[in-house]
Amino acid sequence: MKNITLFLFSFLLILSGCKKMIEDAPLENANIDLVFDSQDSIGKYAQEFLNNTYASLPGGFNRVGGNLLESGSDDALPSSTADVVQFFSNGAFNQVNLPDNTWDANYAGIRKVNVFLQNIDRVPFKEKGLKNRLKAEARGLRAVFYFELIKRWGGVPIIGDEVFTLADNIQFPRNTYQECVNYISSEIEAVMPFLLTPNAASGYTGVFFGRFTKGAAMALKARMLLYAASPLNNTNNDLTKWALAAKSAKDVMDSVAAGKFVYGLSTSTTTAHYSATTLAGLAPSAKMTSYVAGVNKFLNVFSTRYNSEIILPYLRATSTDVESNNEPIGYTRAGDGKTNPTQELVNEFETLDGKMIEDNSSGWSINTPYYNRDPRLAGTVSFNGLFWLTRNVQTYDGGKDRPKGFGNTTSGETRTGYYLRKFMTGTTSETAYTATNHNFPIFRYAEILLNYAEAQNEAVGPDGSVYSAINAIRTRSNMPVLPVGLNQTEMRYRIRHERRVEMAFEEQRFFDIRRWKIAENVLNGVLHGIQGTLNGATVNYNIVEVANAKFDASKMYLYPIPFKETASNSKMVQNPNW
């Protein structure tokens, strides 16, 4: 933690681009007095300081060495065999070489909050209630930062409201995982009365969107309690933990039902990403209208700036980076194609009739592998024949988007035969990028439904409320409802399947396989892709092995504490077997 303190102490020295200075005080004190100005009745600079703290929230897109985090799971691989995110799927990470090392970043965020809380009372806010709301938002952000730490490392040091200097003793032991959960829960409950509530009366856009609201606080608690109830952290399968997680998610759902929140599953098709023409050949003619609507409704969740399904976004300016990093490589504007979904993920998408493709009655064929599939497949994965920009994607060997073919390159084109489609907005231009909305969904309402269904199924079994939650998500994409009569084990499989399909590439699967303790099963062996061979006008397909996967269950369910933390803090105990 010494390194964290040094970084953040220097951060105070360069606060704010404003010119006002106090000549007879040290620079860091002058900056603090500037930001938390006792004469500033609107708190302009104090609010800007807090707004800057929002930048420490998890940003999602291509943040791990230029790749999405799921490229280190069983859902995807990076296009380059040298990319560090793959260390998570091939077992090459350790306490020195840790690609997703967010330890410093999250403690930096915690310190920003503590600096804010230590100084905000200097500002004489004129607007009634504003100071309390800003304090509540800051503590809510701090709760997020602690959760981001404990979901990776387990218990971590809780430092309260302290703002350390270079002279302070920062030899802190780790708190237990449960102590951290209790602390985060208490912080959420304490700030809840002071947070904004986006509802029909107040509206959703403007000041509300992107802020840490009551909905965000409740969503954070629901996710954290779900993680705490999961096998990794609930080794005795204490059903009361599952019940608490279910109640926490249900509280959000009940608030929506009562009109206290405006959240809900988005069914908008205002942006017509696809038409029956561009999706021709991917669904039976009798189902084409429903299929196109299902794809567009799903994609609109991620391309609309103000969206009532998104409870807390990482609010970004319009940009082109998601497309330039991830789209197929063969277009004139030359995307990098970094994210390559695996065949394991593609196989999870059912047929339009709601059957898994391995079901002999599904009608699925390797000769037409993407025909008659869940609309979310076309909204998540770019596969051979899917329309993008001005033409159909060509990922067969020798095609424009896989010119060297399977096994003939270690970077520069897809290794699996697939590219990412989710999050991206196409234009009619093949030559230039257009800046569009790319808000990363930290929390969205579909996850609340999934969290509730999972926890409620574990707590009491597959009752009607579990079916309702999952079926609402399926219906949004025009998929059939679940079959009745599932037992708890069957429903558990269905919920995990639905979560994988719905939440792909939203930094859920990476942690789900850890909290469920199934990473040792899905990340030991081989990850697959597909090879297409052009034969006249027909593409013949073959499932191929792409990369070996390795996961050591004795230690890899938790990240190793970074080496510099254990080296500089004698009280910092390393996670087991690292």
Side-chain angles (χ1 to χ4, degrees), residues 259-274:
K260 296 179 181 179
F261 292 149
V262 294
Y263 307 131
L265 294 175
S266 173
T267 58
S268 170
T269 56
T270 52
T271 300
H273 295 269
Y274 287 108

Side-chain angles (χ1 to χ4, degrees), residues 97-404:
N97 200 357
L98 185 58
D100 182 40
N101 184 4
T102 64
W103 184 281
D104 282 2
N106 282 299
Y107 272 111
I110 290 166
R111 182 182 170 96
K112 288 179 187 178
V113 170
N114 290 356
V115 169
F116 181 85
L117 295 174
Q118 186 181 76
N119 293 280
I120 189 62
D121 284 334
R122 302 182 186 192
V123 183
F125 285 94
K126 188 175 182 179
E127 182 180 338
K128 184 179 179 180
L130 178 57
K131 183 183 293 187
N132 285 337
R133 192 255 286 179
L134 297 177
K135 287 181 179 180
E137 286 187 22
R139 292 171 68 181
L141 294 176
R142 185 172 62 184
V144 175
F145 303 145
Y146 273 113
F147 175 69
E148 289 297 311
L149 288 164
I150 69 172
K151 77 179 184 182
R152 291 170 169 83
W153 286 282
V156 298
I158 298 173
I159 62 174
D161 295 338
E162 293 289 337
V163 178
F164 299 106
T165 70
L166 294 178
D168 289 329
N169 180 359
I170 51 173
Q171 300 289 304
F172 279 93
R174 298 171 64 180
N175 291 83
T176 67
Y177 178 82
Q178 190 60 49
E179 287 171 342
C180 293
V181 169
N182 294 343
Y183 171 75
I184 296 170
S185 293
S186 66
E187 285 290 286
I188 291 171
E189 292 304 316
V191 304
M192 198 79 73
F194 306 103
L195 294 170
L196 293 168
T197 306
N199 54 38
S202 64
Y204 189 72
T205 61
V207 69
F208 287 87
F209 196 69
R211 310 301 301 190
F212 192 88
T213 62
K214 287 183 181 179
M218 294 170 73
L220 170 61
K221 184 177 180 181
R223 185 188 292 180
M224 182 185 66
L225 292 181
L226 182 74
Y227 276 50
S230 298
L232 177 63
N233 302 306
N234 185 15
T235 55
N236 296 324
N237 195 30
D238 182 349
L239 296 185
T240 62
K241 292 186 176 183
W242 286 112
L244 284 172
K247 182 183 182 305
S248 187
K250 187 67 159 50
D251 286 344
V252 182
M253 296 160 61
D254 288 345
S255 293
V256 170
K260 296 179 181 179
F261 292 149
V262 294
Y263 307 131
L265 294 175
S266 173
T267 58
S268 170
T269 56
T270 52
T271 300
H273 295 269
Y274 287 108
S275 66
T277 300
T278 54
L279 292 178
L282 292 180
S285 57
K287 298 181 179 180
M288 181 56 75
T289 299
S290 174
Y291 177 75
V292 172
V295 178
N296 285 335
K297 283 189 289 184
F298 184 65
L299 283 172
N300 265 261
V301 175
F302 312 103
S303 61
T304 305
R305 167 66 81 183
Y306 298 112
N307 185 328
S308 61
E309 182 162 339
I310 308 300
I311 297 173
L312 179 64
Y314 187 93
L315 203 58
R316 308 165 90 237
T318 57
S319 65
T320 63
D321 60 330
V322 177
E323 287 81 13
S324 63
N325 280 324
N326 299 295
E327 74 178 10
I329 64 165
Y331 294 82
T332 305
R333 61 191 199 180
D336 290 332
K338 286 178 175 291
T339 305
N340 303 165
T342 60
Q343 191 65 42
E344 280 75 13
L345 173 61
V346 172
N347 288 349
E348 284 290 305
F349 292 87
E350 302 167 13
T351 67
L352 283 173
D353 298 323
K355 296 180 180 180
M356 299 300 292
I357 63 171
E358 63 264 24
D359 186 331
N360 290 331
S361 65
S362 70
W364 179 83
S365 170
I366 187 64
N367 298 318
T368 54
Y370 315 117
Y371 175 75
N372 199 40
R373 301 288 292 275
D374 184 331
R376 289 172 292 185
L377 175 58
T380 304
V381 177
S382 280
F383 47 78
N384 187 66
L386 181 69
F387 188 84
W388 178 248
L389 300 182
T390 57
R391 62 170 174 82
N392 291 347
V393 173
Q394 298 178 9
T395 53
Y396 52 81
D397 284 1
K400 292 182 179 179
D401 304 303
R402 201 176 198 180
K404 295 181 180 178

